[in-house]
Amino acid sequence: MTEKLNITIVEDHKLVASLLQKQLGRLDFVTSVSVYNSSKTFLGLCDALDFDTLFVDLLMPEVRGEIIIEKIRANPKKTHVKILVLSGVTHAMVIKDTIALGANAYLTKDIDIREIQAALKTIYEDGNVYLAEGIKDAFIQGQLNPKYNILLTPKEREVLLLTCEGKS
């Protein structure tokens, strides 16, 4: 890659964030890597931050990743930002909805640095959306098999996600 990236990570699990920061910091095309373990803090500072690449978790206690994606995409100062979701959630509908919100890549937490490099190359050089290798088949099957596609309204989805997070 020829571009030099300023990366921000929003991840509530400190160990995951720290390991990702170290791995990304070793790449020759990365200028800086900032970490926010609080999604609420990140949103409060977002306008003042200088970054072009965002790694974001979906399931966080203060503000969910989907809300962060929506706010970044609605911000005229941040239209250039590439968003990579890093999540343990692999359900096809969640992936589809996340990409529809404006994520440029969907990665699972079991990937290695080579796949992160492939994702960055795909979204920056090729301009395409990137799906982690481990979820492509599950995503395709989920889209092709209507038996597993349960359609929820946005409010039903929000309630379900909050319930899954233990906030019933």
Side-chain angles (χ1 to χ4, degrees):
M1 282 193 44
T2 56
E3 274 188 75
K4 297 289 184 186
L5 305 181
N6 293 311
I7 297 175
T8 295
I9 301 167
V10 182
E11 167 64 66
D12 61 319
H13 291 99
K14 292 178 182 177
L15 180 61
V16 173
S18 176
L19 293 171
L20 181 59
Q21 181 182 33
K22 286 181 182 179
Q23 288 293 315
L24 290 170
R26 292 179 180 153
L27 300 176
D28 59 352
F29 56 86
V30 174
T31 303
S32 67
V33 183
S34 302
V35 172
Y36 292 87
N37 298 122
S38 165
S39 51
K40 188 175 181 181
T41 300
F42 168 75
L43 280 179
L45 298 171
C46 184
D47 281 345
L49 298 174
D50 181 27
F51 62 95
D52 46 44
T53 308
L54 176 67
F55 282 82
V56 64
D57 188 9
L58 287 183
L59 300 177
M60 295 181 286
E62 298 170 324
V63 181
R64 291 187 337 271
E66 295 95 338
I67 303 299
I68 292 173
I69 294 168
E70 287 175 339
K71 291 195 181 286
I72 294 289
R73 289 299 175 230
N75 184 338
K77 296 177 186 175
K78 302 292 182 191
T79 57
H80 67 285
V81 172
K82 302 293 187 190
I83 301 173
L84 296 92
V85 170
L86 185 64
S87 180
V89 178
T90 58
H91 190 276
M93 289 298 286
V94 173
I95 297 165
K96 182 179 175 184
D97 290 349
T98 304
I99 298 299
L101 285 175
N104 301 94
Y106 197 101
L107 307 170
T108 54
K109 289 188 176 178
D110 62 348
I111 62 168
D112 61 24
I113 192 65
R114 290 183 304 273
E115 187 155 11
I116 291 173
Q117 288 177 288
L120 290 168
K121 179 185 182 301
T122 297
I123 65 176
Y124 274 99
E125 293 179 5
D126 302 338
N128 295 323
V129 169
Y130 185 89
L131 294 179
E133 290 298 325
I135 61 171
K136 285 180 184 176
D137 287 339
F139 179 75
I140 291 168
Q141 288 306 313
Q143 292 303 300
L144 296 177
N145 190 343
K147 178 172 110 178
Y148 297 110
N149 283 336
I150 300 170
L151 300 178
L152 300 175
T153 66
K155 188 65 177 175
E156 289 170 329
R157 188 168 177 271
E158 180 181 356
V159 169
L160 180 60
L161 282 171
L162 289 170
T163 302
C164 290
E165 292 172 6
K167 298 177 181 175
S168 57

